[in-house]
Amino acid sequence: MTTTNSARPVLDSNAQARGAFGMALGWIRRGAFDRAVPLLEQAIHLDPDDMHGAFVELMRIHQRNGNWSEMAEVSSDGILRFPESKYLHKSLNVALVELGGFEAALERYRLEPLGPEPQLAAGAIIACSIVRNESARLPWFLREGRRLGVDAFF
């Protein structure tokens, strides 16, 4: 926070975003969703990298109102900033199902092979694992798996 010559405090954009988000939450608690929407949009505009909660609340309001296109847009924008947010991914899928059916949601997350299909011998032991944020432990995991006889990891 800085001050001007008139000694009035001037808030930085992060503080303004937090203030707008707090006021929006107050309106949401009172059921005044139409008054919360512009405040949530303002919070996101002022500090998009620190307003995960504003993305989620705005998405929930659009879902409540059946505004599927807006819900998909907010969720997509939020995912660009917060790719690990399960709430935003889930809401995007809900919106896509409402807009274009189940196939539309599947198409968004369709995985493509990175290379040729591995050739495994009959009887090969394979390990399927989902690993996230484990780069420090991954070498140990692979070494231990190979020691136990795993032929391939997926």
Side-chain angles (χ1 to χ4, degrees):
M1 183 165 63
T2 60
T3 59
T4 62
N5 292 339
S6 64
R8 252 179 91 198
V10 177
L11 300 176
D12 64 5
S13 61
N14 181 269
Q16 290 176 3
R18 287 192 316 264
F21 182 57
M23 287 190 299
L25 291 178
W27 287 119
I28 290 169
R29 285 188 202 105
R30 290 173 181 80
F33 303 108
D34 56 328
R35 296 188 84 171
V37 168
L39 292 167
L40 292 168
E41 290 171 344
Q42 179 185 9
I44 290 168
H45 174 74
L46 288 168
D47 193 4
D49 293 328
D50 195 35
M51 286 290 122
H52 176 264
F55 279 105
V56 171
E57 292 302 328
L58 187 55
M59 171 274 306
R60 287 180 179 160
I61 290 172
H62 289 314
Q63 182 177 19
R64 172 186 290 272
N65 294 334
N67 299 331
W68 306 116
S69 295
E70 291 87 350
M71 182 180 170
E73 183 179 341
V74 169
S75 300
S76 294
D77 292 346
I79 288 169
L80 293 175
R81 303 268 182 202
F82 306 98
E84 307 250 336
S85 172
K86 63 183 178 185
Y87 303 109
L88 295 172
H89 283 283
K90 180 181 176 188
S91 69
L92 178 58
N93 282 325
V94 168
L96 291 173
V97 167
E98 291 295 331
L99 289 169
F102 187 68
E103 286 298 318
L106 279 179
E107 189 61 36
R108 167 69 167 83
Y109 291 96
R110 190 165 312 273
L111 300 177
E112 297 294 328
L114 294 175
E117 188 173 317
Q119 301 300 315
L120 299 172
I125 298 173
I126 61 171
C128 297
S129 177
I130 297 174
V131 180
R132 189 173 111 178
N133 299 330
E134 297 291 342
S135 60
R137 289 181 277 281
L138 190 58
W140 176 87
F141 173 77
L142 296 172
R143 206 171 30 253
E144 185 65 12
R146 287 189 185 104
R147 186 187 71 75
L148 294 171
V150 174
D151 298 309
F153 295 88
F154 294 98

